[in-house]
């Protein structure tokens, strides 16, 4: 049963890697999906915020999915619904808090500052085609990450990091938090 699960997980990782590489190539070639032709503005309703969050969640599935599956397995074996719920809550806070803090910082950022200009980027001419610098960086990152996921190198890198000193510190913090739940 476990071998079958690993084969399916490997196949899913390869499919996800290929899809991410194709998205990166699409970005670099200036293609992509036009989506809805809606005037860009901040979500003004709870439903709009819900849709935006749902789209973000779906787009992050290849990145967050394997970790979430592992956490769900751990949460299902801790002994009680409350302990599992606390683990999932802490995971959710850990995922949301950096995004909230970054968005609050960017909102207060001076629009004429150097950092804001770097975030905005600029158009670059490559091989006679105009491409925005953020699109170029994003497309290349998509291709690199897609390759790492497809080849299994990202998984191998994660396994290597688990033996580093930083990971040992993180495990100690995790054990401390788990001790509070137990």
């Amino acid at each position: 049963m476990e071998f079958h699960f690993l084969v399916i997980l490997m196949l899913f990782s390869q499919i996800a890697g290929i899809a991410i590489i194709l998205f990166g190539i699409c970005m670099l070639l200036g293609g992509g999906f036009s989506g809805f032709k809606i005037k860009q503005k901040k979500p003004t309703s709870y439903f709009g915020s819900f849709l935006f969050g749902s789209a973000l969640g779906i787009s992050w599935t290849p990145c967050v999915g394997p970790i979430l599956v592992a956490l769900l397995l751990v949460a299902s074996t801790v002994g009680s619904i409350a302990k599992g719920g606390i683990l999932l809550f802490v995971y959710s806070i850990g995922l949301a808090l950096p995004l909230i803090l970054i968005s609050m910082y960017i909102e207060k950022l001076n629009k004429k500052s150097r950092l804001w200009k770097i975030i905005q980027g600029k158009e670059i001419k490559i091989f006679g085609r105009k491409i925005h610098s953020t699109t170029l960086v994003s497309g290349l990152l998509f291709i690199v990450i897609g390759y790492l996921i497809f080849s299994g190198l990202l998984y191998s890198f994660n396994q290597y990091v688990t033996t580093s000193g930083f990971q040992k510190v993180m495990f100690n913090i995790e054990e401390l938090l788990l001790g509070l739940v137990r």
Side-chain angles (χ1 to χ4, degrees):
M1 175 73 175
E2 185 176 325
F3 176 75
H4 184 65
F5 175 75
L6 292 176
V7 169
I8 291 173
L9 186 62
M10 187 173 68
L11 180 63
F12 177 75
S13 294
Q14 290 178 335
I15 291 170
I18 290 171
I20 292 170
I21 290 170
L22 290 175
F23 285 137
I25 292 170
C26 256
M27 289 175 81
L28 291 177
L29 295 177
F33 306 102
S34 62
F36 296 111
K37 300 292 183 194
I38 299 175
K39 191 167 123 182
Q40 289 184 345
K41 59 182 181 178
K42 294 181 182 178
T44 56
S45 68
Y46 291 120
F47 184 70
S49 297
F50 171 77
L51 287 178
F52 179 78
S54 298
L56 181 69
I58 290 170
S59 66
W60 277 21
T61 299
C63 301
V64 179
I67 296 166
L68 182 58
V69 167
L71 182 64
L72 288 170
L73 289 172
V74 169
S76 69
T77 62
V78 292
S80 75
I81 293 173
K83 290 178 183 178
I86 290 171
L87 286 174
L88 293 172
F89 176 74
V90 170
Y91 171 76
S92 300
I93 294 297
L95 190 61
L97 195 59
L99 295 173
I100 292 169
L101 293 175
I102 288 171
S103 66
M104 287 171 52
Y105 175 74
I106 288 176
E107 182 70 26
K108 294 180 192 261
L109 195 62
N110 181 1
K111 304 299 186 233
K112 294 184 181 187
S113 70
R114 184 175 182 155
L115 180 59
W116 183 256
K117 290 182 183 200
I118 291 171
I119 291 171
Q120 273 187 312
K122 64 179 185 174
E123 268 193 358
I124 304 170
K125 201 169 198 178
I126 299 177
F127 302 119
R129 296 190 62 169
K130 289 183 180 179
I131 186 167
H132 199 272
S133 60
T134 54
T135 303
L136 177 66
V137 170
S138 298
L140 292 174
L141 279 175
F142 266 64
I143 291 170
V144 168
I145 290 171
Y147 173 75
L148 291 174
I149 290 172
F150 173 80
S151 66
L153 287 172
L154 189 62
Y155 176 79
S156 298
F157 177 73
N158 285 338
Q159 294 302 316
Y160 172 74
V161 169
T162 59
T163 60
S164 70
F166 174 74
Q167 190 63 29
K168 290 177 183 174
V169 170
M170 296 307 291
F171 282 153
N172 289 336
I173 293 171
E174 178 184 352
E175 286 299 319
L176 177 75
L177 291 173
L178 283 173
L180 296 174
V181 175
R182 292 181 187 152

